[in-house]
Amino acid sequence: MNRAKAFLCIIVPVLLAYALNTKFGDLPPLLKFLNPFTGFWQNAESSTVPKNKKIILKNTHDKIEIVFDDRMIPHVFAQNDHDLYYAQGYITAMHRLWQMDFQTRFAAGRISEVVGKKAIEVDRYQRRMGMVYGAENSLKGMMEDPQSKEMILAYTQGINDYIHSLSKANLPIEYKLLDFKPEDWTPVKCALLLKQMSAVLAMGSDEFYMTNILKKYGPAITKDLFPDYPFKEDPIIPIGTKWNFTPLPIPSTPKAFTDMMSSNIATKQKEEGIGSNNWALSGEKTASGFPILSNDPHLDLSLPSIWYQIQLHAPGVNSYGVSLPGAPGIIVGFNQNIAWGVTNVAADILDFYQIKFKDNNHQQYWYNNTWKETTKRLERIKIKGADDLVDTVIYTHHGPVVYFQKPSYSRANNVPMGSALRWIAHDKSNELKTFYLLNRGKNYDEYRKALTFFTAPAQNFIFASADNDIAITPNGKFPLKWKNQGKFILDGSDASNDWQGWIPADQNPTVKNPPRHFVSSANQSSTDQTYPYYINWEFAPYERGKRINDRLTVMKNANVDSMRNLLMDSYSITAQNLLPYLLPLVNQANLNATQKEAYQLTKKWNKYFEAKEIGATIFDLWTKRLSYEIWDDDFTLPDVPMRYPSRDRTIELIQKDPTSKWFDNIKTSKKETLEDLVNSSFKFTCDSLERKYGPIGKDWRWANVKNTNVPHLAKIPGFGSKKLMIGGSKSTVNALAESNGPSWRMVIELGKTPKGHGVYPGGQSGNPGSPFYDNMIDTWAEGKLYDLFFMQSPDDSTGKIISRYKISKK
């Protein structure tokens, strides 16, 4: 008995110690996590901030002063560029280290190192898409430029000096929850962040789907349902703009493509919501007589916030705006003389090529009438708790052959098997130089010079200056293509399918000081059909751009409130175009009581997607269901991925061809009409809402059904926001979905002294235990803007300062 007790006295503490120090599933080692000295308790932050702090950092060149305003936004004052970007790296890591680390691990395909086998397919996808390969090439371009090299090396050093100052107790809480440690930052991680943004803004690839549609329906139907220019459009560069250049010769369309599109072939879809708005008014339309610029990039929302606010001040530069945590400089912002912003172009800069291999060894492929050697890149994926996985990726001269066999990963659904990827993000580039120059820009000419360094992702760069100039340029490194090159999968053996050169940067579409006294973009078509070059065949729907242009056309004496109200505009052009055609087709006599009430609410709805509107809910779900009933029977087939025709083409069909054959459901014996589908989809919508939310009432309100929230970056429960009862929708100017929307709202009033206003849905800190983690969300949700303190010196009284860091070498 005594031996048994002794044994238990020994074994129980041992087993308990093992259990408390071991990670089980998604749980961290509990003893580490609960440790009062190094565990999560240490991540709680006081609401009071130390007023003054002196820091000695040996890698600085001179004295640096960083002052924090009452929203914990740093205003960095340095004596040289090195120290400016060193301090930016240091202070960004102080607030956002885990976010920077996690995002670059994701981009590089290294999540399995943190969470184990469950992320293997995620990591394989990132590696096989060539993310690290592209970042390495991009870094070469950055390091060849002295200014970009200094930026990236100083920024990297600042991050690492902060990392090295951390104790185990001070690690961000996510490291403790996921049980891993930060590693040293490297310059390639800065490039990886820019590559990840390129991947997000590429908006998916449709050529796999389009090729399947062409094979099934032939060229005539494909051209009809997927036209090269939309039914309704209000392009970024105003219609009728003259092109003051002599275009390069356009590559000839290969005969094989012409034959394919004229013969009778018998044999991830892009997502709306990944877009943005921007506009600038000239002084002719503003109360001040100077331009006003506005921008709100729409992205997947997260906590910590996608962006990090900062002011950078050194000899030759005084710039304020938002940066990407992990990359130096300011991406969207303003200085004393100019303001700039971006929206996504959606240019076709990502193509797939079907490769003919000599055999299953994949060592040679047929190209230009000869066998050409492939190359291999070995991707070693480290897996927590398991052996490393070595994934061999085959490269042709086009790029990586992404997959030979279909993986069990949804993001890869639109990747054709056995095809090589040609993507501009794989090329050597130096986007940092664009922002280096914009941050210091003084006028229109310097804005145009800065854009020549920007490769990808292609952006609509909007501009305004105190000189009373406004401009917009859909800008990037655009391949010189024949029309529709890349709309379908290309034959990788035919050299005429390769990219044939580049559109000259000075021939990218642009407009300066147009007669209408404003410029704008909302991801719609870049130009009318007179532009001589091919950029893409499909862009975002026109409705947001149309609404913005309608409002700006009649606007006079505009001020910051005019811009703020337009940013929050939720009027639906889609509803304006559809409801007059749909409502008369509803057979009210066949509706039950709930459906009749829903019909009346929709009929009386003012077409604004405001939070309390029930009509908005019904219309949104109704039109989604109607689209499904029109197209699903024709474009959803087992093992043949296809996509639906666009919303624009659907609206055109409803308005102009109400007896179209496409309204018939080929899976039933009855011949359905548009009226049949309008009624069945309306009843389905009402019944679905009633089942989920009960009788018509406040639970049917748009905000409740839309369920907008800001989740944690790693989806850790409790670290995201509450449900936000707010309006907006994907197709309105205030483009809000469940967790996608305006990631940074900014309005800049130019003049002798610029005035900035802005907000994003989050806070400066990445620590969920900080009062500055999500303190701006309510202001953002209410549609308000903060005044941005554009300080001229560390002692400038325009800012409410709560803390001050003085950094020196010794």
Short mmCIF file of all heavy atoms in Angstrom, two decimals, residues 482-525:
data_model
loop_
_atom_site.label_atom_id
_atom_site.label_comp_id
_atom_site.label_asym_id
_atom_site.label_seq_id
_atom_site.Cartn_x
_atom_site.Cartn_y
_atom_site.Cartn_z
N TRP A 482 -3.08 40.74 -77.51
CA TRP A 482 -4.16 40.81 -78.48
C TRP A 482 -5.48 40.69 -77.72
O TRP A 482 -5.52 40.23 -76.58
CB TRP A 482 -4.04 39.73 -79.56
CG TRP A 482 -3.55 38.37 -79.15
CD1 TRP A 482 -2.26 37.93 -79.14
CD2 TRP A 482 -4.34 37.26 -78.69
NE1 TRP A 482 -2.19 36.63 -78.71
CE2 TRP A 482 -3.46 36.18 -78.43
CE3 TRP A 482 -5.70 37.05 -78.49
CZ2 TRP A 482 -3.88 34.94 -77.98
CZ3 TRP A 482 -6.14 35.81 -78.03
CH2 TRP A 482 -5.24 34.78 -77.78
N LYS A 483 -6.56 41.17 -78.35
CA LYS A 483 -7.84 41.25 -77.66
C LYS A 483 -8.29 39.88 -77.16
O LYS A 483 -8.26 38.90 -77.90
CB LYS A 483 -8.90 41.85 -78.57
CG LYS A 483 -10.22 42.12 -77.86
CD LYS A 483 -11.22 42.80 -78.76
CE LYS A 483 -12.52 43.07 -78.01
NZ LYS A 483 -13.54 43.71 -78.86
N ASN A 484 -8.68 39.85 -75.89
CA ASN A 484 -9.18 38.64 -75.23
C ASN A 484 -8.10 37.61 -74.93
O ASN A 484 -8.40 36.48 -74.56
CB ASN A 484 -10.32 37.99 -76.02
CG ASN A 484 -11.62 38.76 -75.88
OD1 ASN A 484 -11.86 39.39 -74.87
ND2 ASN A 484 -12.44 38.72 -76.92
N GLN A 485 -6.82 38.00 -75.08
CA GLN A 485 -5.74 37.08 -74.70
C GLN A 485 -5.81 36.87 -73.19
O GLN A 485 -5.63 37.80 -72.41
CB GLN A 485 -4.39 37.65 -75.10
CG GLN A 485 -3.22 36.71 -74.81
CD GLN A 485 -1.89 37.26 -75.28
OE1 GLN A 485 -1.83 38.32 -75.91
NE2 GLN A 485 -0.82 36.55 -74.99
N GLY A 486 -6.07 35.65 -72.78
CA GLY A 486 -6.21 35.32 -71.37
C GLY A 486 -7.64 35.22 -70.90
O GLY A 486 -7.88 34.91 -69.73
N LYS A 487 -8.61 35.46 -71.78
CA LYS A 487 -10.01 35.24 -71.39
C LYS A 487 -10.27 33.74 -71.20
O LYS A 487 -11.11 33.34 -70.40
CB LYS A 487 -10.95 35.82 -72.45
CG LYS A 487 -12.43 35.77 -72.09
CD LYS A 487 -13.29 36.51 -73.11
CE LYS A 487 -14.77 36.51 -72.72
NZ LYS A 487 -15.60 37.29 -73.66
N PHE A 488 -9.52 32.94 -71.97
CA PHE A 488 -9.60 31.48 -71.88
C PHE A 488 -8.20 30.94 -71.63
O PHE A 488 -7.20 31.65 -71.80
CB PHE A 488 -10.17 30.90 -73.17
CG PHE A 488 -11.45 31.53 -73.61
CD1 PHE A 488 -11.46 32.56 -74.55
CD2 PHE A 488 -12.66 31.12 -73.07
CE1 PHE A 488 -12.65 33.16 -74.95
CE2 PHE A 488 -13.85 31.70 -73.46
CZ PHE A 488 -13.84 32.73 -74.40
N ILE A 489 -8.10 29.67 -71.22
CA ILE A 489 -6.79 29.04 -71.06
C ILE A 489 -6.07 29.05 -72.40
O ILE A 489 -6.66 28.76 -73.45
CB ILE A 489 -6.95 27.60 -70.54
CG1 ILE A 489 -7.61 27.60 -69.15
CG2 ILE A 489 -5.60 26.89 -70.47
CD1 ILE A 489 -7.99 26.22 -68.66
N LEU A 490 -4.78 29.39 -72.38
CA LEU A 490 -4.00 29.53 -73.60
C LEU A 490 -3.19 28.27 -73.89
O LEU A 490 -2.81 27.54 -72.97
CB LEU A 490 -3.06 30.74 -73.47
CG LEU A 490 -3.78 32.10 -73.35
CD1 LEU A 490 -2.85 33.13 -72.74
CD2 LEU A 490 -4.27 32.56 -74.71
N ASP A 491 -2.90 28.05 -75.16
CA ASP A 491 -2.07 26.93 -75.58
C ASP A 491 -0.60 27.28 -75.30
O ASP A 491 -0.02 28.15 -75.95
CB ASP A 491 -2.29 26.67 -77.08
CG ASP A 491 -1.44 25.52 -77.61
OD1 ASP A 491 -0.67 24.92 -76.82
OD2 ASP A 491 -1.54 25.24 -78.81
N GLY A 492 0.00 26.57 -74.34
CA GLY A 492 1.37 26.87 -73.94
C GLY A 492 2.42 26.46 -74.93
O GLY A 492 3.60 26.80 -74.78
N SER A 493 2.04 25.72 -75.98
CA SER A 493 3.03 25.30 -76.98
C SER A 493 3.20 26.33 -78.09
O SER A 493 4.15 26.25 -78.87
CB SER A 493 2.62 23.95 -77.58
OG SER A 493 1.43 24.09 -78.35
N ASP A 494 2.29 27.30 -78.18
CA ASP A 494 2.29 28.30 -79.26
C ASP A 494 2.91 29.59 -78.76
O ASP A 494 2.37 30.26 -77.88
CB ASP A 494 0.84 28.52 -79.72
CG ASP A 494 0.75 29.39 -80.96
OD1 ASP A 494 1.76 30.04 -81.32
OD2 ASP A 494 -0.33 29.43 -81.57
N ALA A 495 4.05 29.97 -79.34
CA ALA A 495 4.77 31.17 -78.90
C ALA A 495 3.95 32.45 -79.09
O ALA A 495 4.17 33.45 -78.38
CB ALA A 495 6.10 31.28 -79.66
N SER A 496 3.00 32.44 -80.03
CA SER A 496 2.20 33.65 -80.26
C SER A 496 1.23 33.92 -79.12
O SER A 496 0.65 35.00 -79.03
CB SER A 496 1.42 33.52 -81.58
OG SER A 496 0.51 32.44 -81.53
N ASN A 497 1.08 32.94 -78.20
CA ASN A 497 0.23 33.15 -77.03
C ASN A 497 0.99 33.79 -75.87
O ASN A 497 0.38 34.18 -74.87
CB ASN A 497 -0.36 31.82 -76.55
CG ASN A 497 -1.47 31.33 -77.46
OD1 ASN A 497 -2.21 32.13 -78.03
ND2 ASN A 497 -1.58 30.01 -77.61
N ASP A 498 2.31 33.89 -75.97
CA ASP A 498 3.10 34.55 -74.92
C ASP A 498 2.81 36.05 -74.90
O ASP A 498 2.37 36.62 -75.90
CB ASP A 498 4.60 34.34 -75.16
CG ASP A 498 5.05 32.94 -74.83
OD1 ASP A 498 4.21 32.11 -74.47
OD2 ASP A 498 6.26 32.68 -74.94
N TRP A 499 3.07 36.67 -73.77
CA TRP A 499 2.98 38.14 -73.70
C TRP A 499 4.04 38.73 -74.64
O TRP A 499 5.21 38.30 -74.61
CB TRP A 499 3.19 38.62 -72.28
CG TRP A 499 2.10 38.20 -71.33
CD1 TRP A 499 0.95 37.53 -71.65
CD2 TRP A 499 2.07 38.41 -69.92
NE1 TRP A 499 0.19 37.32 -70.52
CE2 TRP A 499 0.84 37.85 -69.44
CE3 TRP A 499 2.91 39.02 -69.01
CZ2 TRP A 499 0.48 37.88 -68.09
CZ3 TRP A 499 2.56 39.06 -67.67
CH2 TRP A 499 1.36 38.49 -67.22
N GLN A 500 3.65 39.72 -75.43
CA GLN A 500 4.50 40.21 -76.52
C GLN A 500 5.22 41.51 -76.20
O GLN A 500 5.78 42.14 -77.09
CB GLN A 500 3.66 40.39 -77.77
CG GLN A 500 2.90 39.15 -78.22
CD GLN A 500 3.82 38.01 -78.62
OE1 GLN A 500 4.83 38.23 -79.29
NE2 GLN A 500 3.50 36.80 -78.20
N GLY A 501 5.21 41.94 -74.96
CA GLY A 501 5.83 43.21 -74.59
C GLY A 501 4.95 43.92 -73.58
O GLY A 501 4.14 43.27 -72.89
N TRP A 502 5.08 45.24 -73.51
CA TRP A 502 4.40 46.00 -72.47
C TRP A 502 3.80 47.28 -73.05
O TRP A 502 4.38 47.91 -73.94
CB TRP A 502 5.37 46.35 -71.34
CG TRP A 502 6.10 45.15 -70.84
CD1 TRP A 502 7.36 44.75 -71.18
CD2 TRP A 502 5.60 44.15 -69.95
NE1 TRP A 502 7.69 43.57 -70.56
CE2 TRP A 502 6.62 43.18 -69.79
CE3 TRP A 502 4.40 43.98 -69.27
CZ2 TRP A 502 6.47 42.06 -68.98
CZ3 TRP A 502 4.25 42.86 -68.46
CH2 TRP A 502 5.27 41.92 -68.32
N ILE A 503 2.64 47.66 -72.52
CA ILE A 503 2.08 48.97 -72.86
C ILE A 503 3.00 50.02 -72.23
O ILE A 503 3.30 49.95 -71.04
CB ILE A 503 0.65 49.12 -72.30
CG1 ILE A 503 -0.28 48.06 -72.93
CG2 ILE A 503 0.11 50.52 -72.56
CD1 ILE A 503 -1.68 48.05 -72.34
N PRO A 504 3.48 51.00 -73.01
CA PRO A 504 4.35 52.04 -72.42
C PRO A 504 3.65 52.75 -71.27
O PRO A 504 2.44 53.03 -71.35
CB PRO A 504 4.59 52.99 -73.60
CG PRO A 504 4.35 52.18 -74.82
CD PRO A 504 3.27 51.20 -74.45
N ALA A 505 4.39 53.03 -70.20
CA ALA A 505 3.79 53.64 -69.01
C ALA A 505 3.09 54.96 -69.33
O ALA A 505 2.04 55.27 -68.75
CB ALA A 505 4.86 53.86 -67.94
N ASP A 506 3.66 55.74 -70.27
CA ASP A 506 3.04 57.03 -70.59
C ASP A 506 1.82 56.87 -71.50
O ASP A 506 1.17 57.86 -71.84
CB ASP A 506 4.05 57.98 -71.23
CG ASP A 506 4.65 57.47 -72.53
OD1 ASP A 506 4.30 56.35 -72.96
OD2 ASP A 506 5.47 58.19 -73.13
N GLN A 507 1.49 55.61 -71.88
CA GLN A 507 0.28 55.38 -72.65
C GLN A 507 -0.78 54.63 -71.84
O GLN A 507 -1.83 54.26 -72.37
CB GLN A 507 0.61 54.61 -73.94
CG GLN A 507 1.49 55.41 -74.90
CD GLN A 507 1.74 54.72 -76.21
OE1 GLN A 507 1.08 53.75 -76.57
NE2 GLN A 507 2.72 55.23 -76.97
N ASN A 508 -0.51 54.43 -70.55
CA ASN A 508 -1.58 53.95 -69.67
C ASN A 508 -2.69 54.99 -69.67
O ASN A 508 -2.42 56.19 -69.74
CB ASN A 508 -1.06 53.76 -68.24
CG ASN A 508 -0.21 52.52 -68.09
OD1 ASN A 508 -0.17 51.67 -68.97
ND2 ASN A 508 0.49 52.42 -66.96
N PRO A 509 -3.95 54.58 -69.61
CA PRO A 509 -5.03 55.57 -69.66
C PRO A 509 -4.95 56.54 -68.49
O PRO A 509 -4.71 56.14 -67.35
CB PRO A 509 -6.31 54.71 -69.59
CG PRO A 509 -5.88 53.38 -69.10
CD PRO A 509 -4.46 53.20 -69.50
N THR A 510 -5.13 57.81 -68.78
CA THR A 510 -5.06 58.83 -67.73
C THR A 510 -5.87 60.04 -68.15
O THR A 510 -6.10 60.27 -69.35
CB THR A 510 -3.60 59.22 -67.44
OG1 THR A 510 -3.55 60.05 -66.27
CG2 THR A 510 -2.98 59.97 -68.60
N VAL A 511 -6.31 60.81 -67.18
CA VAL A 511 -6.98 62.08 -67.47
C VAL A 511 -6.59 63.07 -66.38
O VAL A 511 -6.49 62.72 -65.20
CB VAL A 511 -8.51 61.91 -67.56
CG1 VAL A 511 -9.12 61.49 -66.23
CG2 VAL A 511 -9.17 63.18 -68.08
N LYS A 512 -6.32 64.31 -66.80
CA LYS A 512 -5.95 65.39 -65.89
C LYS A 512 -6.92 66.56 -66.08
O LYS A 512 -7.18 66.97 -67.22
CB LYS A 512 -4.51 65.84 -66.18
CG LYS A 512 -4.04 67.03 -65.34
CD LYS A 512 -2.67 67.51 -65.83
CE LYS A 512 -2.20 68.72 -65.03
NZ LYS A 512 -0.96 69.30 -65.59
N ASN A 513 -7.45 67.05 -65.00
CA ASN A 513 -8.33 68.23 -65.01
C ASN A 513 -9.41 68.16 -66.09
O ASN A 513 -9.51 69.04 -66.97
CB ASN A 513 -7.50 69.51 -65.20
CG ASN A 513 -6.51 69.73 -64.08
OD1 ASN A 513 -6.75 69.33 -62.95
ND2 ASN A 513 -5.38 70.36 -64.39
N PRO A 514 -10.26 67.12 -66.05
CA PRO A 514 -11.31 67.01 -67.08
C PRO A 514 -12.34 68.13 -66.95
O PRO A 514 -12.50 68.72 -65.87
CB PRO A 514 -11.93 65.64 -66.78
CG PRO A 514 -11.70 65.43 -65.32
CD PRO A 514 -10.36 66.05 -65.03
N PRO A 515 -13.07 68.42 -68.03
CA PRO A 515 -14.06 69.51 -68.01
C PRO A 515 -15.15 69.35 -66.95
O PRO A 515 -15.71 70.34 -66.49
CB PRO A 515 -14.68 69.45 -69.42
CG PRO A 515 -13.64 68.80 -70.27
CD PRO A 515 -12.92 67.83 -69.38
N ARG A 516 -15.42 68.12 -66.53
CA ARG A 516 -16.47 67.93 -65.52
C ARG A 516 -16.00 68.28 -64.11
O ARG A 516 -16.78 68.23 -63.16
CB ARG A 516 -17.00 66.50 -65.58
CG ARG A 516 -15.99 65.42 -65.19
CD ARG A 516 -16.56 64.02 -65.39
NE ARG A 516 -15.67 62.99 -64.87
CZ ARG A 516 -15.95 61.69 -64.92
NH1 ARG A 516 -17.09 61.27 -65.46
NH2 ARG A 516 -15.10 60.80 -64.43
N HIS A 517 -14.71 68.58 -63.95
CA HIS A 517 -14.13 69.05 -62.69
C HIS A 517 -14.09 67.98 -61.59
O HIS A 517 -14.04 68.31 -60.41
CB HIS A 517 -14.82 70.30 -62.18
CG HIS A 517 -14.77 71.46 -63.14
ND1 HIS A 517 -13.58 71.99 -63.59
CD2 HIS A 517 -15.77 72.13 -63.77
CE1 HIS A 517 -13.84 72.98 -64.44
NE2 HIS A 517 -15.16 73.07 -64.58
N PHE A 518 -14.10 66.72 -61.96
CA PHE A 518 -13.85 65.66 -60.99
C PHE A 518 -13.34 64.43 -61.71
O PHE A 518 -13.53 64.27 -62.93
CB PHE A 518 -15.11 65.33 -60.16
CG PHE A 518 -16.20 64.63 -60.92
CD1 PHE A 518 -16.22 63.24 -61.06
CD2 PHE A 518 -17.25 65.34 -61.49
CE1 PHE A 518 -17.23 62.58 -61.74
CE2 PHE A 518 -18.28 64.70 -62.17
CZ PHE A 518 -18.26 63.31 -62.30
N VAL A 519 -12.65 63.58 -60.96
CA VAL A 519 -12.22 62.27 -61.44
C VAL A 519 -12.65 61.26 -60.39
O VAL A 519 -12.78 61.59 -59.20
CB VAL A 519 -10.70 62.19 -61.67
CG1 VAL A 519 -10.29 63.04 -62.86
CG2 VAL A 519 -9.91 62.63 -60.43
N SER A 520 -12.88 60.01 -60.81
CA SER A 520 -13.35 59.01 -59.85
C SER A 520 -13.11 57.62 -60.39
O SER A 520 -12.90 57.43 -61.59
CB SER A 520 -14.86 59.19 -59.58
OG SER A 520 -15.60 58.78 -60.71
N SER A 521 -13.18 56.64 -59.49
CA SER A 521 -13.15 55.23 -59.90
C SER A 521 -13.82 54.38 -58.84
O SER A 521 -13.83 54.73 -57.65
CB SER A 521 -11.71 54.74 -60.13
OG SER A 521 -11.03 54.56 -58.91
N ALA A 522 -14.40 53.27 -59.32
CA ALA A 522 -15.01 52.29 -58.41
C ALA A 522 -14.85 50.90 -59.02
O ALA A 522 -15.78 50.10 -58.99
CB ALA A 522 -16.47 52.63 -58.16
N ASN A 523 -13.67 50.66 -59.61
CA ASN A 523 -13.30 49.35 -60.17
C ASN A 523 -14.03 49.00 -61.45
O ASN A 523 -13.93 47.87 -61.92
CB ASN A 523 -13.49 48.22 -59.14
CG ASN A 523 -12.98 48.58 -57.77
OD1 ASN A 523 -13.77 48.75 -56.85
ND2 ASN A 523 -11.68 48.70 -57.63
N GLN A 524 -14.77 49.96 -62.02
CA GLN A 524 -15.46 49.69 -63.28
C GLN A 524 -14.46 49.74 -64.44
O GLN A 524 -13.25 49.88 -64.23
CB GLN A 524 -16.61 50.70 -63.49
CG GLN A 524 -16.19 52.12 -63.88
CD GLN A 524 -15.95 53.03 -62.71
OE1 GLN A 524 -15.34 52.64 -61.73
NE2 GLN A 524 -16.41 54.28 -62.82
N SER A 525 -14.96 49.63 -65.68
CA SER A 525 -14.08 49.65 -66.86
C SER A 525 -13.18 50.88 -66.84
O SER A 525 -13.62 51.98 -66.51
CB SER A 525 -14.91 49.64 -68.14
OG SER A 525 -15.71 48.49 -68.23
#
